[in-house]
């Protein structure tokens, strides 16, 4: 598929809305591991999905894990729990952890005006006296808009990503920047309206980068990925080992390699096994154990930000609340979806049982979701329906 098609036809926010619509419902509860194996195998056999992995776990052990189908159809290479692929917007949950690390280290507070951190001013020209805060960036209420012509151009052919976000953001937000426009901002005041923004998320990552004194990629590698043993995870294919999934479009044809200029918002490469290590650290925090984040910071990151009667305009009833880059969904989980060309991913924590679930799939994109969304949703619903015979600690 030509990269121009990726640029002009794909919108990650559309993908998120479509996924949210598809996964709602009350599926029947699945039985033991063998039953789930059979159900997922049957769902794969009857679908257009090349391959996927599933992992389910609590704060202390793995409950279920398996791979289905193929990481590469032509080579007939199986998709396993260790197969690496991009995870799309699930990557934003790492920005949430990175922001809380910054709060923990005293770099900033979530309600700080970003202009106290950034080397260039960021203001909505329609509301120049209203500050934009880190909390607003993390809850998609900043009023920053992903202008399609600029954001889509960040999908670029090739596999070498310089992992630099400073110039892109300066051009977008500085009045003398080549991509600056009043259309980069909503017509509503900061804090008043929900509008999902990938560029806004990348701006939050840039605030971490500035305070850390190193790239966001290096900071997350040193403080999140490596401490958690996520040795096959990273922001480029080169640093994540050889077992990569081939990504497929709606015709089940391979996508050419591409990189994402705003990599913090959707560019993490990881596997079911490695991503489970990250989510397990969050589950341990929910259970009161300090780790990569202190337990109190985990609680603050996951707590619903919108109070009853004060939900911002534009928020979908299907995702009624929001943590610090962690979404609260009406299906009952706290987590995130992910979607990009050749990528569909699901990650959620059940707050009642403290059980985490992950599904990574190597097909995706707006057209693929329209064609096969029901097939993808059926996999996630089957995983959600599985009631593990464990008790939370």
């Amino acid at each position: 598929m030509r990269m121009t098609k990726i640029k002009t036809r794909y919108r990650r926010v559309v993908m998120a809305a479509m996924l949210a619509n598809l996964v709602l419902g009350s599926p029947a509860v699945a039985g033991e591991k063998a039953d789930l194996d059979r159900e997922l195998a049957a769902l794969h056999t009857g679908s257009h999905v090349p391959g996927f992995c599933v992992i389910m776990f609590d704060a202390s052990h793995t409950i279920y894990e398996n791979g289905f189908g193929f990481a590469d159809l032509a080579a007939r290479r199986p998709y396993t729990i260790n197969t690496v692929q991009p995870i799309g917007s699930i990557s934003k949950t790492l920005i949430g952890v990175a922001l809380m690390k910054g709060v923990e280290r005293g770099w900033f507070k979530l309600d700080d005006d970003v202009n106290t951190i950034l080397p260039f001013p960021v203001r909505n020209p329609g509301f120049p006296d209203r500050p934009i805060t880190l909390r607003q960036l993390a809850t998609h209420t900043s009023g920053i808009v992903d202008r399609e012509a600029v954001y889509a151009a960040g999908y670029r052919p090739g596999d070498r990503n310089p992992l630099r976000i400073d110039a892109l953001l300066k051009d977008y937000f500085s009045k003398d920047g080549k991509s600056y426009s009043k259309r980069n901002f909503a017509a509503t005041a900061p804090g008043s309206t929900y509008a999902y923004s990938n560029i806004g998320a990348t701006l939050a990552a840039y605030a971490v980068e500035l305070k850390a004194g190193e790239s966001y990629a290096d900071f997350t590698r040193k403080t999140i990925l490596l401490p958690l043993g996520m040795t096959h995870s990273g922001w480029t294919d080169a640093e994540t080992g050889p077992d990569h999934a081939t990504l497929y479009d709606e015709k089940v044809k391979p996508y050419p390699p591409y990189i994402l200029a705003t990599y913090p918002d959707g560019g993490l490469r990881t596997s079911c096994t490695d991503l489970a290590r990250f989510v397990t650290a969050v589950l341990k925090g929910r259970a009161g154990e300090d780790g990569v984040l202190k337990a109190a910071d985990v609680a603050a990151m996951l707590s619903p930000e919108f109070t009853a009667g004060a939900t911002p305009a534009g928020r979908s009833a299907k995702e009624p609340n929001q943590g610090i880059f962690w979404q609260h969904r009406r299906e009952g989980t706290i987590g995130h979806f992910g979607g990009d060309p050749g990528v569909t991913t699901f990650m959620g924590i059940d707050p009642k049982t403290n059980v985490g679930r992950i599904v990574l799939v190597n097909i995706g994109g707006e057209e693929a979701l329209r064609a096969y969304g029901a097939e993808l949703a059926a996999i996630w619903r089957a995983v959600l329906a599985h009631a593990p015979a464990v008790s939370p600690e």
Side-chain angles (χ1 to χ4, degrees):
M1 176 172 287
R2 295 179 296 114
M3 192 56 55
T4 52
K5 187 172 182 181
I6 292 175
K7 287 182 182 179
T8 59
R9 301 191 68 179
Y10 189 78
R11 292 183 177 92
R12 187 178 292 156
V13 66
V14 173
M15 179 76 164
M18 294 169 74
L19 283 170
N21 284 330
L22 285 166
V23 299
L24 292 172
S26 300
V29 174
E32 297 300 321
K33 179 182 182 298
D35 296 327
L36 187 56
D37 280 340
R38 285 190 291 270
E39 182 175 0
L40 292 173
L43 287 171
H44 174 260
T45 300
S47 76
H48 296 80
V49 174
F52 64 96
C53 64
V54 174
I55 191 163
M56 188 184 312
F57 46 93
D58 64 11
S60 60
H61 72 290
T62 299
I63 298 165
Y64 176 90
E65 59 183 14
N66 209 346
F68 300 85
F70 298 99
D72 188 288
L73 289 169
R76 309 299 285 176
R77 178 163 50 88
Y79 199 117
T80 76
I81 58 170
N82 296 311
T83 299
V84 174
Q85 71 162 70
I87 59 170
S89 285
I90 291 177
S91 306
K92 291 181 178 70
T93 60
L94 268 76
I95 306 178
V97 171
L99 282 176
M100 299 310 297
K101 291 293 290 184
V103 171
E104 180 184 294
R105 295 181 180 192
W107 291 348
F108 42 64
K109 297 177 182 178
L110 293 180
D111 292 313
D112 284 350
D113 182 343
V114 294
N115 284 354
T116 64
I117 304 168
L118 303 175
F120 49 83
V122 177
R123 276 288 190 272
N124 186 324
F127 303 89
D129 297 328
R130 295 285 293 270
I132 293 172
T133 69
L134 292 171
R135 191 183 302 275
Q136 290 166 358
L137 295 174
T139 57
H140 300 289
T141 58
S142 67
I144 292 171
V145 174
D146 290 343
R147 188 153 54 91
E148 182 68 10
V150 178
Y151 180 69
Y155 289 83
R156 300 171 184 171
D159 58 3
R160 295 190 177 185
N161 194 333
L163 302 177
R164 292 288 301 270
I165 54 178
D166 50 348
L168 181 150
L169 294 172
K170 185 177 181 181
D171 280 341
Y172 198 75
F173 293 111
S174 298
K175 289 185 177 180
D176 59 351
K178 61 183 179 182
S179 57
Y180 178 81
S181 170
K182 292 181 179 180
R183 291 177 295 151
N184 296 350
F185 300 89
T188 52
S192 66
T193 304
Y194 179 90
Y196 190 91
S197 176
N198 296 288
I199 294 175
T202 303
L203 187 64
Y206 184 48
V208 173
E209 180 173 294
L210 288 167
K211 288 295 187 180
E214 58 185 342
S215 72
Y216 176 78
D218 286 341
F219 176 75
T220 51
R221 188 181 301 114
K222 293 175 183 177
T223 62
I224 300 174
L225 303 181
L226 293 181
L228 292 177
M230 298 172 67
T231 55
H232 294 98
S233 300
W235 301 101
T236 65
D237 289 340
E239 62 185 307
T240 54
D243 187 12
H244 292 131
T246 299
L247 308 181
Y248 294 91
D249 66 14
E250 71 281 357
K251 297 180 180 178
V252 199
K253 300 295 184 182
Y255 271 105
Y258 66 89
I259 61 102
L260 184 59
T262 57
Y263 74 89
D265 74 65
L268 186 70
R269 280 95 165 107
T270 190
S271 65
C272 264
T273 300
D274 266 21
L275 187 56
R277 291 188 173 99
F278 171 70
V279 181
T280 295
V282 176
L283 295 178
K284 289 180 177 178
R286 291 192 76 245
E289 180 179 335
D290 289 343
V292 168
L293 281 181
K294 294 179 180 179
D297 292 328
V298 171
M301 180 178 71
L302 299 183
S303 294
E305 288 286 323
F306 308 139
T307 58
T311 299
R315 186 71 184 174
S316 170
K318 298 175 179 65
E319 293 177 349
N321 222 309
Q322 176 79 47
I324 302 302
F325 284 117
W326 289 68
Q327 297 172 335
H328 291 242
R329 297 196 290 267
R330 200 170 74 187
E331 69 187 27
T333 62
I334 304 172
H336 220 291
F337 293 135
D340 260 329
V343 173
T344 304
T345 56
F346 306 84
M347 181 267 281
I349 291 170
D350 184 333
K352 295 179 181 178
T353 62
N354 213 30
V355 167
R357 294 172 171 86
I358 293 166
V359 175
L360 307 182
V361 188
N362 63 340
I363 191 171
E366 193 173 336
E367 293 178 5
L369 190 57
R370 285 197 179 98
Y372 313 128
E375 298 172 3
L376 295 164
I379 295 168
W380 179 237
R381 284 163 59 88
V383 174
L384 283 179
H386 186 77
V390 298
S391 298
E393 293 185 351

